Amino acid sequence: MSTEKANPKDKASFILASGSPRRNELLLELVEDFDVVTTETDELEVHTDGPEALVMENACRKVRPVA
């Protein structure tokens, strides 16, 4: 068994489904090459199941058209 840690820069393909300059900057710290693909998405402002569900739902709404 290898004791090497996984390196996200090795042989991985990433898509950032966000136009956020800060998210772009953060991902650049982890991977050298990725595509940015954005879509127009209506985000929810509230979710009946709370803030965690709100974040998850909005993330899914953004990524589905990109996937």
Side-chain angles (χ1 to χ4, degrees), residues 12-64:
S13 173
F14 290 90
I15 296 174
L16 176 61
S18 170
S20 164
R22 180 64 180 143
R23 288 192 176 106
N24 190 309
E25 182 181 303
L26 290 169
L27 190 55
L28 275 171
E29 293 180 13
L30 299 173
V31 296
E32 295 173 357
D33 188 33
F34 58 90
D35 294 320
V36 177
V37 181
T38 61
T39 60
E40 292 295 321
T41 303
D42 292 328
E43 293 188 40
L44 299 176
E45 293 185 20
V46 295
H47 195 288
T48 57
D49 292 333
E52 185 175 326
L54 174 66
V55 170
M56 292 298 295
E57 177 63 28
N58 283 333
C60 289
R61 286 172 175 240
K62 289 179 182 181
V63 77
R64 281 185 193 117

